[in-house]
Amino acid sequence: RMGRVWHSEPNNNLLFSLLIKDKELINKYNYLSLASACVILSVLNDLKINNVSIKWPNDVYVDGRKISGILLESISNNQELEVLIIGVGINVNQKQFNNDLIHPATSLYNELGKNFKIHRLKRIVYKRFIKTFKKIKKGDNSYLLIAKKNNFLLNKEIFAEIENEKKSVKVIDINDDNTLKVIVNGEEKNLNSGEITFHI
């Protein structure tokens, strides 16, 4: 997407999509990307992986290395969202990565030194997604506290592309509406994921 590629060795990683048709969840579209990253983070924490963080809005890092990425796509009809597709990639048993890339990667194997059964992990992740999305439907946004606490970008001064212009920004928070609060040119701004691209 946007010229970026997710590399995965065959049979070594967990790659799947969730098809969302539930209208209540579709109406909470802006929440689901960050909530999905929190799902992955919580699973990794349960596996006793340390130093897990979320790079807003949808990447999961371990010690600064990317272990999971999430994409949201929508299908519309007459300007009304009909379906959401959440694509998830988790590096599981892959050992070697091209870490000369801008975003170095890691995996469950590299962090814990053991292989995982992909289908078993898939069931664990899927159940956590269902549990989290049921909470969101009820108005429970407790995932946001997880995202704020584990914000990879917090207090970092980084380059970002805003309105097709590269600028230095400082990240100061994730807002309750899931937008990112930054300081740019001495001014506080709240940006959604479509308004900013990071160059870390």
Side-chain angles (χ1 to χ4, degrees):
R1 187 184 188 191
M2 298 173 66
R4 291 171 291 194
V5 179
W6 185 273
H7 295 278
S8 176
E9 292 178 353
N11 306 312
N12 269 336
N13 301 310
L14 179 55
L15 311 170
F16 65 94
S17 294
L18 293 169
L19 182 66
I20 308 293
K21 295 183 178 181
D22 186 303
K23 291 298 181 183
E24 290 181 69
L25 282 176
I26 290 174
N27 289 337
K28 295 179 182 288
Y29 176 89
N30 291 335
Y31 302 151
L32 298 188
S33 185
L34 189 59
S36 296
C38 289
V39 167
I40 304 304
L41 180 142
S42 67
V43 171
L44 298 184
N45 283 340
D46 287 350
L47 294 173
K48 308 302 182 187
I49 293 179
N50 298 318
N51 301 319
V52 186
S53 58
I54 293 170
K55 184 173 81 64
W56 179 93
N58 50 15
D59 288 334
V60 183
Y61 280 57
V62 177
D63 278 330
R65 295 177 181 269
K66 191 170 180 177
I67 197 168
S68 178
I70 297 155
L71 287 176
L72 255 71
E73 299 286 353
S74 62
I75 298 174
S76 302
N77 185 18
N78 294 326
Q79 296 186 334
E80 181 180 350
L81 291 181
E82 286 197 332
V83 172
L84 295 178
I85 302 166
I86 303 175
V88 181
I90 305 173
N91 295 329
V92 184
N93 294 323
Q94 186 167 330
K95 301 176 180 65
Q96 300 293 325
F97 296 92
N98 180 5
N99 281 329
D100 292 331
L101 299 173
I102 295 174
H103 303 289
T106 188
S107 65
L108 297 184
Y109 179 89
N110 286 351
E111 296 303 318
L112 297 175
K114 63 179 182 180
N115 284 304
F116 288 80
K117 293 182 179 179
I118 302 291
H119 290 291
R120 183 180 178 191
L121 180 65
K122 180 180 72 173
R123 287 194 296 271
I124 293 170
V125 172
Y126 179 72
K127 286 180 181 178
R128 192 67 56 88
F129 265 103
I130 297 302
K131 182 178 179 181
T132 300
F133 286 177
K134 282 182 177 179
K135 285 184 176 181
I136 290 173
K137 281 181 65 174
K138 293 178 180 178
D140 181 346
N141 293 335
S142 55
Y143 73 88
L144 190 56
L145 297 175
I146 298 172
K148 287 173 174 281
K149 182 180 178 182
N150 299 279
N151 183 358
F152 176 76
L153 297 172
L154 184 63
N155 295 323
K156 284 186 169 66
E157 293 192 17
I158 55 180
F159 283 105
E161 195 171 309
I162 303 173
E163 298 172 350
N164 297 318
E165 188 177 344
K166 200 171 183 180
K167 298 180 179 180
S168 176
V169 305
K170 183 176 181 180
V171 176
I172 54 176
D173 201 3
I174 298 172
N175 298 310
D176 289 347
D177 64 356
N178 286 233
T179 56
L180 191 69
K181 183 174 289 188
V182 302
I183 295 176
V184 52
N185 296 332
E187 183 182 348
E188 195 174 283
K189 285 184 175 290
N190 299 315
L191 303 171
N192 65 48
S193 58
E195 295 176 315
I196 186 167
T197 301
F198 294 109
H199 300 274
I200 299 177

